[in-house]
Amino acid sequence: MIRRRVGRPGLLGVAARTAVVTGTATAVSNRMQRRAAERDAQQQWAAEAQQQALVDQAAAQAAAQQPPAPPAAGGGGGVDRVSQLTALAELKAQGLLTDEEFAAEKARVLNS
């Protein structure tokens, strides 16, 4: 007949019970930390989405309030052609354009 011990558990029983309690506590703690991290990430994502929506809304309002761009200068000449020709003359004076390149670019600017 096998004798059963009556009374307090032995050293092995205490160690096993402690391991079970510790393992359960660790599992519960880890699960709580994961859920808290997921909740924080979701709240952060929602805050970023709300902030992006506000930025988009402000950009749309700014675009709606801007006056339309003026039409491009037509064939009437103007300051733009003068500045382009001045820049070409400076490039030629610096020796970066040959006479042929200068003439071709000058014709292009005047014909556009």
Side-chain angles (χ1 to χ4, degrees):
M1 177 185 291
I2 300 178
R3 292 179 39 189
R4 282 194 82 182
R5 185 173 187 168
V6 179
R8 296 187 324 184
L11 183 60
L12 189 58
V14 170
R17 183 177 301 147
T18 303
V20 169
V21 170
T22 303
T24 303
T26 302
V28 170
S29 175
N30 288 342
R31 175 65 178 151
M32 289 174 58
Q33 287 177 350
R34 275 196 308 273
R35 290 184 74 193
E38 289 171 0
R39 188 173 40 252
D40 291 344
Q42 191 174 26
Q43 288 174 349
Q44 182 179 0
W45 179 84
E48 289 173 356
Q50 184 180 15
Q51 185 178 8
Q52 185 62 40
L54 291 174
V55 169
D56 292 343
Q57 182 182 11
Q61 287 177 352
Q65 292 175 355
Q66 275 185 337
V79 179
D80 188 45
R81 285 186 181 180
V82 172
S83 64
Q84 287 180 349
L85 291 173
T86 304
L88 286 173
E90 289 175 7
L91 291 174
K92 182 181 176 197
Q94 293 173 0
L96 298 174
L97 289 177
T98 63
D99 290 335
E100 295 81 19
E101 291 171 336
F102 175 75
E105 289 298 314
K106 178 179 163 185
R108 183 189 61 79
V109 169
L110 292 175
N111 291 330
S112 61

